Amino acid sequence: MTTETSQSADGSVSAAAGTLTIVDNRTGRTYEVPIEDGTIRSTELRKIKVDEDDFGIMTYDPAYMNTASCRSSITYIDGDKGILEYRGYPIEQLAEKSSYLEVAYLLIYGRLPSRSELEEWTHLITTHTFVHENIKDFMQGFRYDAHPMGMLLASVGALSTFYPEANQIKDPELRMMQVVRLVAKMPTLAAFAYRHNRGMPYVYPDNDLSYSGNFLSMLYKIAELKYQPDPRLERALDVLFILHADHEQNCSTSAVRSVGSSQVDPYSATAAGIAALYGPLHGGANEAVLRMLRRIGTLENIPDFIAGVKAGEQRLMGFGHRVYKNFDPRAKIIKRAVEDVFEVTGKNPLLHIATELEKIALEDEYFISRKLYPNVDFYSGLIYEALGMPVEMFPVLFAIGRTSGWIAQWLEMIDDGEQKIARPRQIYTGARGVDYVPMAERS
Ligand code: ACO
């Protein structure tokens, strides 16, 4: 708790260890604010006042650049060292050894499942992949060229009307039922949106296939009786879902938590996450990478392009990250997956350009001094394209993987006794106490 401290005659302040001493130069008063986990509670600053009527000091942090909005034990990132861990497990190990459904279990339940728990979880998810026929009809009502992300956003929101009991978020059993439904139905809705956009009939889930294999079947099955996904593509997709499963308090996760803090049902909170991911600053960078690679066109054009980047004329898309000031660990894993996918689909000539760009940038002083390394989006667009996805589907694929993270964060928030409805403060800059002017008197 913040306490006001006294100064000795020589002006020095004796303060307890583990505290921050603040001198308010407006009043000359000195305060000791406790530091816990390298953090001070901003509400403690409210005790620093000029007089009794003063509201107290606030902090101004428009994009949450330095504000922790929660305590979380789900995902750990060390951006300087290029570390990403889910529940303490390094992403490299999970991408190599685990499956998306196992990772979803890990994120949601906080630990790896036993064999029987994983079987039961997989069975639960597999048997909830179908959606109500009215959801299908609802999706068919979209315009022929509707953006699949807009369709996903609307249909996930609409799920709350099919499961009205979902608003009983304090009931642990009902809560887990919605969690299962969300993870299970997301690929179905995503695939329906894709098929709609192509003018193709929707394909129902195939419960004999894996999570990713079934998704490929719902996307690409045409006239064959049974779709057989290529195991290498199935695995590559599963790895992509793992890599995108969570990334702590990013824009869409903050949206899920913020909307969920009103105690709305998890479908509506997840729809908020999808809406945030729809924005080009969040879910759209890999599309920009593809456009950039196409624009460069040939290896010979790379030096000119790099010179333009260094002159500030354009950015090297897929490089740099707000958090990672080292290799984004996901980029390394994706690069390996690209090679596996191209073994099946044939090489995309853009890969040569991407590899050469990366090589040059990693040796160039401009990028080294600014700590600009490839991020997750540098290679993911190439894989998605190789899998036959149009760019509109890129954020949709991201949303499927991220659903387990959103929902794990939502569950953590519901059980966190410190959380209340999210309600930031503002610094008011407008007029005050202005008298209403009748229309005839307005100039
Ligand atoms: N190409 C060239 N220069 C860059 C790049 C880039 N991709 N990224 C940053 N820089 C330079 C900036 O010009 C600036 O240089 P200066 O100090 O000479 O002015 C310096 O590096 C710092 O850049 P900031 O914009 O301040 O860094 P910030 O952390 O705000 O930006 C961001 C991070 C937005 C990701 C940025 O690196 C970028 O625009 N990258 C390209 C887009 C991209 O790949 N986005 C995907 C991110 S991953 C994701 O969202 C899932």
Side-chain angles (χ1 to χ4, degrees), residues 77-84 91-92 323-330 332:
I77 300 175
D78 183 331
D80 291 329
K81 298 200 178 108
I83 294 174
L84 170 61
I91 190 70
E92 293 80 1
V323 177
Y324 294 114
K325 299 303 170 195
N326 199 320
F327 257 95
D328 178 338
R330 300 168 298 175
K332 287 191 195 163

Side-chain angles (χ1 to χ4, degrees), residues 100-101 104 107 149 152 156 182-194 211-212 214-216 218-219 237-238 240-242 244-246 270 274 277 384 389 393-407:
Y100 175 68
L101 279 190
L107 289 169
M149 194 65 166
L152 186 71
V156 169
L182 268 163
V183 175
K185 296 183 196 310
M186 199 62 80
T188 313
L189 299 175
F192 282 9
Y194 168 82
Y211 190 78
S212 300
N214 169 50
F215 181 53
L216 287 169
M218 291 188 290
L219 289 174
L237 193 58
D238 216 52
L240 283 165
F241 289 155
I242 292 173
H244 286 93
D246 199 47
T270 303
I274 298 173
L277 196 57
Y384 291 152
M389 303 289 170
M393 280 299 283
F394 292 3
V396 173
L397 291 156
F398 193 154
I400 297 176
R402 188 53 59 87
T403 298
S404 55
W406 286 332
I407 213 70

Side-chain angles (χ1 to χ4, degrees), residues 281-282 285 309 315-322 325 366-367 370 372 375-377:
L281 293 188
H282 195 7
V309 170
R315 289 210 158 185
L316 174 50
M317 299 310 290
F319 261 66
H321 196 278
R322 173 61 61 75
K325 299 303 170 195
Y366 175 93
F367 298 93
R370 288 169 179 78
L372 299 172
N375 60 47
V376 67
D377 288 322

Side-chain angles (χ1 to χ4, degrees), residues 42-86:
S42 53
T43 47
E44 292 291 319
L45 302 178
R46 291 275 298 279
K47 293 169 188 158
I48 304 177
K49 302 177 175 206
V50 180
D51 55 46
E52 267 316 297
D53 295 335
D54 187 2
F55 182 78
I57 289 210
M58 290 194 302
T59 55
Y60 179 57
D61 193 1
Y64 296 119
M65 299 282 284
N66 194 38
T67 296
S69 60
C70 62
R71 291 178 174 277
S72 182
S73 60
I74 300 173
T75 291
Y76 174 80
I77 300 175
D78 183 331
D80 291 329
K81 298 200 178 108
I83 294 174
L84 170 61
E85 294 172 356
Y86 297 160

Side-chain angles (χ1 to χ4, degrees), residues 287-299 301-302 305 308-309 313-317 350 353 357:
E287 179 185 346
V289 172
L290 278 187
R291 269 192 271 114
M292 172 191 76
L293 295 175
R294 284 206 186 92
R295 220 174 45 242
I296 297 173
T298 64
L299 291 177
N301 292 337
I302 291 180
F305 176 79
V309 170
E313 291 161 14
Q314 66 236 339
R315 289 210 158 185
L316 174 50
M317 299 310 290
L350 296 179
I353 300 173
L357 267 179

Side-chain angles (χ1 to χ4, degrees), residues 356-400:
E356 187 61 18
L357 267 179
E358 180 186 322
K359 191 166 148 267
I360 292 174
L362 291 178
E363 288 165 357
D364 191 297
E365 179 51 28
Y366 175 93
F367 298 93
I368 295 169
S369 62
R370 288 169 179 78
K371 299 189 175 170
L372 299 172
Y373 293 89
N375 60 47
V376 67
D377 288 322
F378 193 62
Y379 286 107
S380 65
L382 283 173
I383 298 202
Y384 291 152
E385 197 176 61
L387 290 173
M389 303 289 170
V391 286
E392 297 79 29
M393 280 299 283
F394 292 3
V396 173
L397 291 156
F398 193 154
I400 297 176

